[in-house]
Amino acid sequence: MRLSVCLLLVSLALSCYQANALVCPALAFEVTGFFFLSDKQLKLQVAKFNPPPEALAAKLQVKHCTDQIPLSDRLLIEKALLEIVVKCNV
């Protein structure tokens, strides 16, 4: 539960750092995709940023932790993130 709250807060901070900021669709897709993509799909998604291998390994390690969250809870997190996007893009 603690990890999901941390991820939600980080996503909120990155997505809505200003009251009038628009959330980039690519960021929204990456954040929500993190919960649902396979390792292979996530590697392809992150490859466009050309991350160092240790950063990619760290992201995959965190993803393996979030994969332990039940699907129903991940869907609730996604719903909360989408509500944040809607409120930030007003």
Side-chain angles (χ1 to χ4, degrees), residues 39-53:
D39 284 358
K40 185 176 181 178
Q41 292 170 317
L42 185 67
K43 286 179 186 179
L44 289 173
Q45 182 184 34
V46 174
K48 63 185 169 195
F49 301 114
N50 196 21

Side-chain angles (χ1 to χ4, degrees), residues 27-79:
L27 175 65
F29 177 73
E30 183 169 335
V31 170
T32 58
F34 183 77
F35 289 108
F36 303 106
L37 296 177
S38 68
D39 284 358
K40 185 176 181 178
Q41 292 170 317
L42 185 67
K43 286 179 186 179
L44 289 173
Q45 182 184 34
V46 174
K48 63 185 169 195
F49 301 114
N50 196 21
E54 55 274 359
L56 178 60
K59 184 165 184 147
L60 289 173
Q61 186 177 8
V62 172
K63 181 175 178 8
H64 291 153
C65 290
T66 60
D67 286 346
Q68 302 303 313
I69 299 172
L71 180 60
S72 59
D73 290 345
R74 286 187 275 161
L75 289 170
L76 289 173
I77 294 169
E78 180 187 37
K79 181 180 176 185

Side-chain angles (χ1 to χ4, degrees), residues 8 12 15-16 79-89:
L8 180 62
L12 176 62
S15 300
C16 299
K79 181 180 176 185
L81 290 173
L82 292 175
E83 287 179 15
I84 291 168
V85 169
V86 168
K87 287 185 180 187
C88 290
N89 284 341

